[in-house]
Amino acid sequence: RGTMQGGRFGVDYQVNNRNTITLSQNVRFRDREGRDEQRYSNEDLNGELISYGAQLNTSDMKNGSYTTQLAWRHQGPEGREWTADVNYNRWDRNSSSLFELFGYGGGLEGLQRAQENIGGSDLNQFGGQLDVIRPMGNNKLEWGLKGSYKLDHTWLYVSVLTPPNTEAVPDSALSNDFDITDIVNAAYVN
């Protein structure tokens, strides 16, 4: 089960007959919950029930994303044009899940294993772009520059409870915590 909401708002301001400034904002929110049960049984060669049980899985995820953009468009004489924009993107996500394995019979009684995953991500991205068009007779020259800088912090913490232990133990093999920086720059001529 899940929900998603969002919206976009934008406004153009015409500075004069050749220049337009645009400001826009985009917002999205998501929420998802899940629950399922997987049952199992073990039988001997004669079809007699030895043990049975179930795995219960629950999950919850919430995230939001936001984008803001400021753009400038200039239309010059004889088809000359340039556009420039800067933008900021923000993304955050938090999620959790619990996997519980229960067993009965054949020496099994109740909870056999539980694993809890708690994770998330925070992302901030800044970008800018410039595009220029210059007519040249029957052809045109197009060129541009683009750059972006992204900071991403992503994590997952996993803990496992296995009876007879009464406290969950962190699982370092499955857990992680990363800070990732992406820098991308580009130029083109056409």
Side-chain angles (χ1 to χ4, degrees), residues 13-189:
Y13 174 70
Q14 190 166 2
V15 177
N16 54 39
N17 64 341
R18 296 194 184 277
N19 296 285
T20 304
I21 298 173
T22 302
L23 177 64
S24 64
Q25 177 68 51
N26 187 40
V27 197
R28 295 274 181 253
F29 299 103
R30 295 166 196 85
D31 185 357
R32 181 174 309 268
E33 295 176 357
R35 178 176 166 78
D36 67 88
E37 179 180 352
Q38 301 169 356
R39 296 177 186 213
Y40 71 90
S41 62
N42 295 314
E43 298 175 351
D44 64 16
L45 293 175
N46 297 322
E48 296 293 320
L49 183 65
I50 299 172
S51 64
Y52 64 95
Q55 179 168 317
L56 303 177
N57 305 318
T58 57
S59 63
D60 181 40
M61 186 276 300
K62 293 175 178 28
N63 96 311
S65 60
Y66 320 88
T67 302
T68 303
Q69 181 181 41
L70 178 63
W72 184 297
R73 181 175 183 193
H74 173 78
Q75 295 176 302
E78 303 167 356
R80 292 182 183 185
E81 179 180 325
W82 63 261
T83 59
D85 70 77
V86 293
N87 58 64
Y88 170 69
N89 297 303
R90 167 95 177 122
W91 165 278
D92 61 72
R93 175 185 54 83
N94 290 296
S95 59
S96 64
S97 57
L98 179 62
F99 307 100
E100 298 173 292
L101 179 64
F102 295 89
Y104 301 95
L108 303 176
E109 282 303 319
L111 181 66
Q112 300 303 304
R113 182 178 193 277
Q115 176 178 318
E116 183 177 37
N117 299 348
I118 298 175
S121 181
D122 289 319
L123 180 137
N124 291 287
Q125 182 176 19
F126 306 88
Q129 184 167 335
L130 171 69
D131 296 296
V132 178
I133 299 173
R134 293 283 183 248
M136 301 176 72
N138 291 334
N139 297 314
K140 62 182 173 178
L141 173 66
E142 296 182 32
W143 64 273
L145 304 169
K146 181 176 184 173
S148 72
Y149 179 74
K150 180 171 68 171
L151 302 169
D152 183 4
H153 178 214
T154 301
W155 66 91
L156 175 64
Y157 303 124
V158 178
S159 58
V160 177
L161 171 67
T162 307
N165 297 327
T166 57
E167 291 188 28
V169 176
D171 187 334
S172 60
L174 296 176
S175 299
N176 60 60
D177 194 331
F178 294 108
D179 285 315
I180 302 167
T181 302
D182 289 336
I183 301 172
V184 179
N185 296 300
Y188 76 92
V189 175

